[in-house]
Every structure is written in structure tokens, then in C-alpha cells.
Amino acid sequence: ELKVEQNPLFLSMQEGKNYTIYCNYSTTSDRLYWYRQDPGKSLESLFVLLSNGAVKQEGRLMASLDTKARLSTLHITAAVHDLSATYFCAVAPRGGADGLTFGKGTHLIIQP
Amino acid sequence: NAGVTQTPKFRVLKTGQSMTLLCAQDMNHEYMYWYRQDPGMGLRLIHYSVGEGTTAKGEVPDGYNVSRLKKQNFLLGLESAAPSQTSVYFCASRMHSGYEQYFGPGTRLTVT
């Protein structure tokens, strides 16, 4: 059974600081996703990571994937208030059409 | 393109009532998914479909039925609603040759 663990689950930080969210998963996978969710809204896709060593960046967010360690990180650089949201990682089983297994999410609050 | 749409957006049911949630996509995607999201949890897969006329169980299928009579529509049914089915329901779709899952806006269901 595929399990996905995120940590931390809650994070309060100040603007301008850097921080990293971690996502561990339990079995082999060939796709890892990061999503953002604002309160009462749907999921917004941030990154899809497909291979070992993959790194993607968009603005102040950078995601990486280590398939050997079964670990992905989402790094926030010089945080701003607009990045306050809940961030989810999700993993797809290797191959096929199976749906995603999600972590519980990291509720991020960035204070001025 | 409207993308993925869900009907209704909100619904309140009494225990034992039945209802159907509709998901529609106009992107000609082969794969469609139903997830539920509970407070403090990531999304959990209920059922999914890899094509017209086919469905499969996900992680939490009990109490739900699904049908995919047309490629663009994926229906989620609750035959006898229970308070434990109070949740936000998200539909998603993707191409069989792609990686990105496109999520609908969600349906907030309360069972009293």
C-alpha cells in the first residue's frame, strides 16, 4: 500500500525567510505532484516531477525529487504573504491509470 | 474550454437520502477520478475510470457507486447517505498519455 507522509503539517513563518516542506513516500513511483490549495478552493497544480534528480522552479518555489530516497522537497525562498496556503504532495503508483495518493498537506502561514 | 465542471456546488442531504454528483470534462480525457477531502486530510480516491463503460475502486469506495456512460461524464452516486459522507468531493481528469490531473471546483456535501 502506497503511503505518503508530509512534514511539517503546520508551519508559521515570517516573510523573507526560507523553508522546506518534505514529502516521503513508501513504494516505488514514477510521478510526484505538488499542489497548492487556498481555503474553500480547488487544487492548483504547481509541479509534476517525473525522474530521479528532477528539479523544477517557479518563482519562489522549487521542487526536487530523489526517487532512491523516496523523498521530494518543496523549498520556499524569501517567503511572501501571498504564498500562505495548504500545500499537498501526491504520488502516483508506477505505471497505469491509478489515481493519486496524497499526503495530509502542509498548512503554511506566512506572517508579515 | 470549461475544463472540469462539477454539479452541484453545494448540497445538504438528510441521512438515508440519495443523490448523484455530476462531473463533466470537455478536454476529451480518457481517465477520470473521484476524490473526497475531509478536514485535515489530503484527498482520498473513491473510484476512477479509464474509459467509457469502465470503472474501478479506489481507496475508499464503500457507500458510493459510479458510472461512466459517456466519455465526458463521470457520475458519483450515494444510494443512502450517511453523516460520514459529509465531505468535499473533487473530480479530476487526465489524458492517458499525459501526467497532469485537472481538478474540478469541488462539491461541498453535508449529510445531517
Side-chain angles (χ1 to χ4, degrees):
Chain A
E1 180 189 353
L2 177 56
K3 293 186 178 180
V4 180
E5 288 190 1
Q6 279 182 247
N7 68 83
L9 297 182
F10 298 96
L11 178 57
S12 178
M13 56 192 292
Q14 289 184 316
E15 281 191 328
K17 301 291 188 182
N18 303 333
Y19 210 83
T20 300
I21 300 170
Y22 297 89
C23 176
N24 289 91
Y25 55 97
S26 61
T27 62
T28 303
S29 170
D30 57 4
R31 282 171 282 147
L32 188 133
Y33 300 75
W34 284 99
Y35 292 95
R36 167 181 173 148
Q37 187 179 40
D38 292 302
K41 302 293 186 181
S42 186
L43 277 72
E44 174 190 351
S45 178
L46 297 174
F47 304 107
V48 183
L49 304 171
L50 302 175
S51 61
N52 187 43
V55 177
K56 290 194 174 181
Q57 183 164 5
E58 181 73 33
R60 301 176 187 273
L61 300 178
M62 183 174 71
S64 66
L65 178 62
D66 181 343
T67 58
K68 293 179 181 177
R70 297 178 185 160
L71 170 68
S72 180
T73 61
L74 180 66
H75 186 73
I76 303 160
T77 301
V80 293
H81 178 68
D82 285 353
L83 291 178
S84 297
T86 299
Y87 293 85
F88 292 95
C89 68
V91 177
R94 181 180 286 280
D98 293 3
L100 303 180
T101 299
F102 283 78
K104 291 185 176 181
T106 296
H107 183 50
L108 176 62
I109 298 173
I110 299 170
Q111 301 182 6
Chain B
N1 287 353
V4 180
T5 59
Q6 294 183 231
T7 308
K9 289 184 170 52
F10 303 93
R11 184 74 187 268
V12 178
L13 286 180
K14 293 186 177 179
T15 298
Q17 287 184 321
S18 63
M19 79 163 293
T20 301
L21 282 68
L22 170 63
C23 175
Q25 52 93 6
D26 61 2
M27 298 173 283
N28 203 33
H29 286 172
E30 290 80 8
Y31 301 159
M32 296 187 74
Y33 306 88
W34 276 108
Y35 295 90
R36 62 177 287 174
Q37 183 178 28
D38 300 303
M41 302 281 288
L43 279 67
R44 291 183 293 168
L45 183 67
I46 304 171
H47 286 280
Y48 65 99
S49 169
V50 300
E52 189 175 316
T54 69
T55 63
K57 294 181 180 180
E59 179 187 354
V60 288
D62 294 343
Y64 304 95
N65 56 75
V66 288
S67 64
R68 185 133 179 238
L69 300 179
K70 294 182 180 180
K71 185 177 184 179
Q72 63 268 33
N73 295 337
F74 194 26
L75 304 179
L76 178 70
L78 286 72
E79 290 187 348
S80 179
S84 60
Q85 294 178 304
T86 293
S87 190
V88 180
Y89 292 85
F90 288 100
C91 176
S93 70
R94 76 168 174 97
M95 292 176 57
H96 79 278
S97 58
Y99 301 105
E100 195 66 65
Q101 283 203 13
Y102 295 84
F103 283 85
T107 294
R108 187 172 296 274
L109 174 66
T110 301
V111 182
T112 61

